[in-house]
C-alpha cells in the first residue's frame, strides 16, 4: 500500500455524528452533502462520515487506501491477519 487516504465511519445520524466530531472532538467540517456524506479533518487526517445511503455495505469503521497493485496489497493484508 502506498498511502492511507482516509478513515470511513458509517453513521445512522449525520447531525449527531457531526456534533460529536466537530463540537465535542474539535474536528473541522470540510464538506457535507446532506445526510449522505460528510468529511471532517483534524491534524492532517480526513475522516469520512457515510450516512446510510452512502455506506454501501460498510457496517464498521474502515480505512480507504490507495495502492498501485490491489492484489499485492490485499495479499499482504491477508498474510498479516486481515479479514
Amino acid at each position: 500500500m502506498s498511502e492511507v487516504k482516509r478513515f470511513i465511519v458509517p453513521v445512522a445520524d449525520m447531525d449527531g455524528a457531526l456534533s460529536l466530531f466537530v463540537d465535542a472532538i474539535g474536528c473541522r467540517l470540510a464538506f457535507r452533502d446532506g445526510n449522505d456524506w460528510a468529511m471532517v479533518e483534524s491534524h492532517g487526517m480526513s475522516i469520512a462520515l457515510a450516512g446510510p445511503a452512502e455506506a454501501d455495505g460498510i457496517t464498521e469503521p474502515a480505512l480507504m487506501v490507495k495502492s498501485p497493485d490491489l492484489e499485492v496489497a490485499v495479499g499482504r493484508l491477508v498474510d498479516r491477519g486481515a479479514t
Side-chain angles (χ1 to χ4, degrees):
M1 277 177 281
S2 57
E3 64 183 296
V4 173
K5 297 298 288 180
R6 66 185 49 94
F7 189 64
I8 304 171
V9 179
V11 299
D13 174 8
M14 187 62 73
D15 289 329
L18 286 172
S19 178
L20 171 69
F21 280 94
V22 175
D23 300 333
I25 296 175
C27 295
R28 181 183 74 83
L29 177 62
F31 174 80
R32 181 174 184 176
D33 181 15
N35 291 317
D36 295 333
W37 190 261
M39 186 80 62
V40 296
E41 298 175 341
S42 181
H43 302 284
M45 180 173 184
S46 295
I47 302 170
L49 305 175
E54 292 293 325
D56 196 27
I58 299 171
T59 58
E60 298 179 11
L63 288 176
M64 180 183 287
V65 297
K66 180 179 180 180
S67 175
D69 190 328
L70 181 61
E71 288 183 28
V72 170
V74 170
R76 286 181 184 159
L77 290 170
V78 170
D79 288 347
R80 290 169 176 80
T83 57

